[in-house]
Amino acid sequence: MRSVSGAIRQRPVLATVGVLILAIVAYFAVIAAQTKPAVDQVSPSPLLYRQAPALSGESLYSTKTLSLSQFRGHFVLVNYFASWCSSCATEESQIAALAHTSTVQVLGVDYDDSPGPARHFLSLYHAHFPVLQDPSGTNSLRWGVSAPPESFLVAPNGVVLAKVVGPTTVRIIDALVTLAKEKGY
C-alpha cells in the first residue's frame, strides 16, 4: 500500500515538472520564432558609410587586372566566396541570378582558393560575372573578411552601404538597394 500512496503523492510533482518543461520549451519556441535567421541580418562593419577600400587583382578568367573603381557609377555587390565553402554553394545561385537580372553589378572575390576549383564552382551555377583573385589575402584583410561568404553593397559613389555575413539572396540585396535609393544614394 505504501508504494501506491507514494505514487499518488508523486503525481502532482511529476505533473508540475512536466508543465514547467513544457513552459520552458514554449518560451524558447516563441523566442526562436521572433528571431531573424542569420542570413537575413546585415552585419556591422567599420567600413560602413565610408569610401570602399581599394580592391583590385588579377581576373579569375584572364591575366587582366580587375578593380572596383571600374564599376564607379553603379551599385556593386562585392561578394567574397570560395569553392570549398558550403555556405557559398548555398548562395551562389542567388548571386548568379542577381548578376543576370538586377541593376546591381556583381564583383566576385575568390577567397583563399585556387583558380581551377573556383572556375569550376562558378560554372556549376552559371555564374558569369567578373571575379578577381585574392591569393595573398590582401584584399580580404583590407575589407575585414574573416570567412566567406561575406558581401558588401557599394553605392555608385564608392561608399560601402551594407555588409552581409553569410549567404545572401536577391531579395535582401534588392531591399538594400531600394533603401539606399530612398536615402539618396
Side-chain angles (χ1 to χ4, degrees), residues 88-93 96-97 100 120-128:
C88 298
T90 301
E91 83 168 354
E92 199 57 42
S93 62
H100 287 124
H120 176 71
F121 172 80
L122 293 169
S123 72
L124 293 173
Y125 300 96
H126 308 288
H128 304 291

Side-chain angles (χ1 to χ4, degrees), residues 17-64:
V17 170
V19 169
L20 283 174
I21 290 172
L22 280 174
I24 290 169
V25 169
Y27 171 77
F28 284 110
V30 168
I31 296 295
Q34 292 175 348
T35 304
K36 288 183 180 181
V39 297
D40 284 344
Q41 295 183 1
V42 176
S43 179
S45 168
L47 301 178
L48 293 182
Y49 305 108
R50 297 187 177 177
Q51 283 295 311
L55 179 59
S56 64
E58 189 174 304
S59 170
L60 183 63
Y61 301 107
S62 70
T63 57
K64 288 175 48 176

